[in-house]
Amino acid sequence: MRGIKNIFKLIIMLLLNTFSYGFKINDLNFNEKISRGESQTKEFILTNNDINSKIYRILIEGDEDVKVMPNILTIDYLSSKKIKIKVDANKSKGDYSYFLVIKEIEKQLKEQGVGINKIVKIKQSYQIIE
């Protein structure tokens, strides 16, 4: 009986974890080697695990040579969309990092209660080689 309770608690925790973030990204690392003077693009898939459609704003912090397309996504419930991250290797040889920032935007203001916008920062890295 005790084992069944523990399994039940584990399942509840996993479900709450999935719905608390409301989204999933297929890969957490850019982690590419790029020749100096060239560009590299990588595609990521963002999935909305929430039961409502969501609007996400995608930003890059910490590196002007990294761009994300598109910057704003509307994803229906239980659907996915692609984002592309492009790095221009205009710097000297070395290791660099930046943050991929995903912000959930409230669709409408709530008359009662408080709406919480989730913000997730994922540290990314890349290497420029000669």
Side-chain angles (χ1 to χ4, degrees), residues 38-98:
E38 295 184 3
S39 297
Q40 179 75 31
T41 302
K42 187 170 181 178
E43 196 172 79
F44 294 86
I45 299 172
L46 190 64
T47 303
N48 177 9
N49 289 330
D50 200 278
I51 58 173
N52 300 310
S53 77
K54 298 284 183 177
I55 301 172
Y56 298 102
R57 181 154 187 206
I58 317 295
L59 307 164
I60 300 297
E61 287 184 359
D63 195 328
E64 294 177 4
D65 291 332
V66 182
K67 306 289 184 231
V68 63
M69 301 158 282
N71 292 31
I72 296 182
L73 287 175
T74 300
I75 306 176
D76 292 330
Y77 67 95
L78 302 177
S79 296
S80 300
K81 289 206 176 167
K82 296 177 183 178
I83 60 171
K84 292 182 182 180
I85 295 179
K86 180 181 178 186
V87 176
D88 294 321
N90 297 324
K91 302 175 185 150
S92 59
K93 180 180 172 181
D95 295 330
Y96 297 93
S97 64
Y98 62 92

